[in-house]
Every structure is written in structure tokens, then in C-alpha cells.
Amino acid sequence: ITEAEYDELMNISIGVALVFGLSMAVSSCISIVFDCMGIHLAATSILGGKGGMVDFMHTYIPFMTYAILIFAIVMVLGLVLSTVSAAFGSILIMALAAGGLVWIFWSIWLVGRAYQLGSVYGCISIFIGLILAGIITSVLNCMLSSVSALPF
């Protein structure tokens, strides 16, 4: 990033920041719903799990929300503390790596428990489900792009 780009980024207006933040929030909400749909399809249709999508979402979404909040707090604290000492940057990296592993294994456990599959099939459900979610969103993006290009 150049100095000019940095200055432009630092001089962003409140209105632009709010619009950007709101669009990111809406995008994240839509994304997690598609992720849950993909995981649900993989767990039930492909791997034969027993469970409902609503029950899964009631446990998975709060977990993801708290995990992202904790990661954001750790990152902000790490950035603030890294201005004091470079050692805090190393501690931040280790904390984020450990937290990331906990996040992954807890997600696997939640999926396995929600669909009565166990952790191995929970892992496979997440893997296949996120691929399915990517395919679904790619198809929808192509359809929306095609529709928006039509003359009205």
C-alpha cells in the first residue's frame, strides 16, 4: 500500500464507512445462511444425518457470532499492544492460531452433534457443504449478472 492510498483510506468519511459496514453486515448474513444451507444439504442428503436446519442454525450462528467477536477483540488489542512492543505481535499470532484451531474443531463438533454424525462426518459435512455453498452462490451470481445485463 502506498502512502497516498494509506492517506485516502485514513480520510474516509463516516457516511462511506457506515455504508460499507452495513453492506458487509448484510453480505455476511447472506453468506452464513448459504453456508448453513450447504452444510445441511451435505449432512442430511449426502451423509444421511438426522437433524433440522433450523436447529443447526440456532447453535451454529451464535457460535460463529461470538467467535468472530472474540477474534475482532483479540486483533484490535493486538494491534494496539503491538505499537508498544513487537513481542505482542508474536503473542497475537499465537493466540489467533490457537483460537483458529479451537474454532475449526468446535465447528466440526457442532455439525456432528446437530446431525448425529460424529466429528469425522461433521468435518466432511463442512467440507462438502462449503463447496456446495460456493457452487450455489456462484450460480446465483451468474444468474444475477445475466439478468442485470438484459435491456429493459
Side-chain angles (χ1 to χ4, degrees), residues 55-124:
D55 293 332
F56 167 62
M57 290 176 77
H58 276 278
T59 58
Y60 191 70
I61 290 176
F63 162 71
M64 292 297 281
T65 303
Y66 291 127
I68 290 170
L69 179 65
I70 291 168
F71 270 80
I73 290 169
V74 169
M75 295 236 352
V76 168
L77 285 174
L79 288 172
V80 170
L81 294 176
S82 67
T83 60
V84 176
S85 171
F88 288 118
S90 300
I91 294 170
L92 170 69
I93 291 171
M94 290 188 306
L96 290 175
L101 287 173
V102 170
W103 186 348
I104 289 168
F105 288 116
W106 198 281
S107 296
I108 290 168
W109 178 77
L110 282 175
V111 172
R113 186 185 73 168
Y115 293 106
Q116 301 171 4
L117 291 172
S119 294
V120 172
Y121 284 120
C123 181
I124 295 169

Side-chain angles (χ1 to χ4, degrees), residues 13 19 26 30 33 35 40 45 50 88 94 97 102-103 109-110 120-122 136-137 141 152:
S13 70
V19 169
V26 170
I30 293 169
V33 169
D35 290 349
H40 175 74
S45 300
K50 296 171 183 67
F88 288 118
M94 290 188 306
V102 170
W103 186 348
W109 178 77
L110 282 175
V120 172
Y121 284 120
I136 292 168
T137 54
N141 283 334
F152 288 103

